[in-house]
Amino acid sequence: MWRNEWDAYVRLINDRVAPATGCTEPVSTALAAAEATRILGKAPEQIEVLVSGNLLKNGMGVGIPGTGEIGLHIAAALGAVCGNPDQGLEVLGNVAPNDVEQARTMMKSDQVSVRMVDTDSKLYAEVICHGAGSTASVVIKDGHTNMVRKTLNGDVLFSGLDSDAASAGKEEPELSVSAIFEFATQGDLAKLEFIMKAAELNSALTAEGLAQDYGLRIGKTLLKTTRDGLQTTDLMSQAMIRSAAASDARMGGALLPAMSNSGSGNQGVSATMPVVAVAETIGASREQLTRALIMSHLTAIHIKSHMSVLSALCAATTAAAGASAAITWLLGGNEEHAESALFNMTGDVTGILCDGAGSGCSLKVSTSAQSAIKAALLAMEGIRITSHEGIIEDSVEKTIDNIGLIANQGLAETDNVIIRMMAG
């Protein structure tokens, strides 16, 4: 039965693993601003940005590509000035210095306002552009590129399904860790090669993060400690350095795209760079790396599908769980080893809080990468946390269900408290 789903798995990964320039929440706002400006047909004189609490949380402190600035104001202004809405999550991929200056001028002239609105949607961005007596608006909801409404001077140009209604009429393949393992290890290699783009893009981000001073310079500093002899250059340090450096660059405003997973660049980094680090360290073949990346990214998608698009649970941890399963296979492990690694990850880092996107994300990304290596190494020695402890079940699928319950229900009020803290 699973083999009949393999083509659907390829389509799913292609849909959920995509390039993104900059943190995807402010990029989503920039995308709405770019589309609203296109509808307006002229440069806006005033821009109103209305966002959900979770989008505000993930947009207020993160670097915007090519600007040296943080936040939703500059993201919306830049989207209006130079954004190409046809490029989706790469809407800010062609930022030039004069574009940044125009956007800064709009901010200094108080032409951009941002406020939080009460909405049931975790991911909601409405951008209203005013100019020359006309008004255009665009609403993005429940998905980073999911435009559900467009208007011009009060006339509705487009009204689409929200993500829940859309998914109700859209069949997606049934996922399980067992099915993913079989697909990744036995699927037609020619149909899987596309995933190597994730290694290419996210490795380029790593190189950028190690070459320049972005954010907190976590990756660059960890590399320095190996050169100073304070830690060794082993699997764990390599995974941490490469993952953190890529996150440093991405959250610090680098113009290079990340290969995202489930709408998040940091999740894409966490599902990619620990696997790349292990593959290079042990001298794995291109085929082995390809199959391991497929396993990692699809497992990350599987776990994330149990969670809201945005929540108080840091999804870098669940993406790195996918990496831990793939790493066991690279080290010669079987499906049981991969499941044991997922149990170990769940018992280790589940519950790390998402308190907004920013330079501190690279700390959580590096911690998740370290945990992925640790979980895999322990699994290869036959060690796994048991169902007698905490949220772990005998079944890996039931354990994944529990992670979703914690993210969606258990941490719901925590999410609200964090948003109130940050908004205040």
Side-chain angles (χ1 to χ4, degrees), residues 138-158:
V138 170
V139 174
I140 288 178
K141 179 184 176 186
D142 297 332
H144 291 86
T145 61
N146 187 39
M147 297 184 191
V148 298
R149 186 177 175 84
K150 303 177 187 180
T151 70
L152 177 62
N153 296 324
D155 295 327
V156 177
L157 306 180
F158 170 79

Side-chain angles (χ1 to χ4, degrees), residues 160-218:
L161 295 171
D162 62 29
S163 66
D164 290 337
S167 19
K170 177 183 176 184
E171 289 189 12
E172 290 193 345
E174 182 178 343
L175 293 175
S176 68
V177 172
S178 184
I180 291 167
F181 191 91
E182 180 184 292
F183 169 66
T185 57
Q186 299 178 35
D188 182 356
L189 185 64
K191 294 183 178 181
L192 309 181
E193 273 280 336
F194 67 89
I195 199 66
M196 289 299 289
K197 191 70 176 177
E200 177 188 332
L201 292 183
N202 292 337
S203 293
L205 265 180
T206 292
E208 179 72 4
L210 293 176
Q212 307 295 333
D213 290 337
Y214 287 103
L216 296 175
R217 309 186 306 279
I218 303 301

Side-chain angles (χ1 to χ4, degrees), residues 70-90:
I70 62 171
L72 295 173
H73 290 79
I74 188 70
L78 206 56
V81 168
C82 67
N84 180 354
D86 295 330
Q87 291 183 295
L89 292 178
E90 294 185 273

Side-chain angles (χ1 to χ4, degrees), residues 169-398:
K170 177 183 176 184
E171 289 189 12
E172 290 193 345
E174 182 178 343
L175 293 175
S176 68
V177 172
S178 184
I180 291 167
F181 191 91
E182 180 184 292
F183 169 66
T185 57
Q186 299 178 35
D188 182 356
L189 185 64
K191 294 183 178 181
L192 309 181
E193 273 280 336
F194 67 89
I195 199 66
M196 289 299 289
K197 191 70 176 177
E200 177 188 332
L201 292 183
N202 292 337
S203 293
L205 265 180
T206 292
E208 179 72 4
L210 293 176
Q212 307 295 333
D213 290 337
Y214 287 103
L216 296 175
R217 309 186 306 279
I218 303 301
K220 196 171 184 178
T221 303
L222 290 174
L223 178 61
K224 179 180 180 296
T225 64
T226 65
R227 291 171 175 168
D228 292 344
L230 298 176
Q231 64 172 334
T232 58
T233 307
D234 54 16
L235 281 178
M236 200 169 286
S237 64
Q238 282 299 307
M240 291 172 64
I241 289 166
R242 293 177 186 226
S243 301
S247 182
D248 285 330
R250 177 177 177 268
M251 307 312 283
L255 278 169
L256 297 176
M259 185 63 85
S260 66
N261 182 297
S262 304
S264 165
N266 277 333
Q267 289 174 54
V269 166
S270 295
T272 303
M273 294 317 298
V275 179
V276 171
V278 171
E280 292 189 6
T281 301
I282 67 173
S285 67
R286 182 180 177 88
E287 176 179 348
Q288 288 174 310
L289 177 56
T290 299
R291 294 188 182 281
L293 287 173
I294 289 288
M295 187 183 301
S296 177
H297 277 272
L298 197 50
T299 303
I301 290 168
H302 176 37
I303 300 173
K304 179 63 181 176
S305 70
H306 290 69
M307 301 161 54
S308 299
V309 62
L310 298 175
S311 74
L313 191 149
C314 175
T317 60
T318 55
S324 74
I327 289 165
T328 62
W329 181 76
L330 280 176
L331 296 177
N334 56 25
E335 185 181 322
E336 183 180 351
H337 292 115
E339 289 192 359
S340 293
L342 291 172
F343 286 125
N344 291 340
M345 283 288 289
T346 304
D348 187 5
V349 292
T350 298
I352 290 182
L353 296 179
C354 171
D355 56 349
S359 58
C361 286
S362 59
L363 284 167
K364 296 170 185 175
V365 167
S366 67
T367 297
S368 301
Q370 180 187 46
S371 180
I373 300 294
K374 179 171 59 177
L377 293 177
L378 291 173
M380 292 302 294
E381 295 297 323
I383 297 172
R384 57 149 287 194
I385 193 166
T386 71
S387 59
H388 300 294
E389 300 178 52
I391 64 171
I392 308 299
E393 304 272 0
D394 287 327
S395 159
V396 71
E397 300 304 330
K398 288 183 179 179

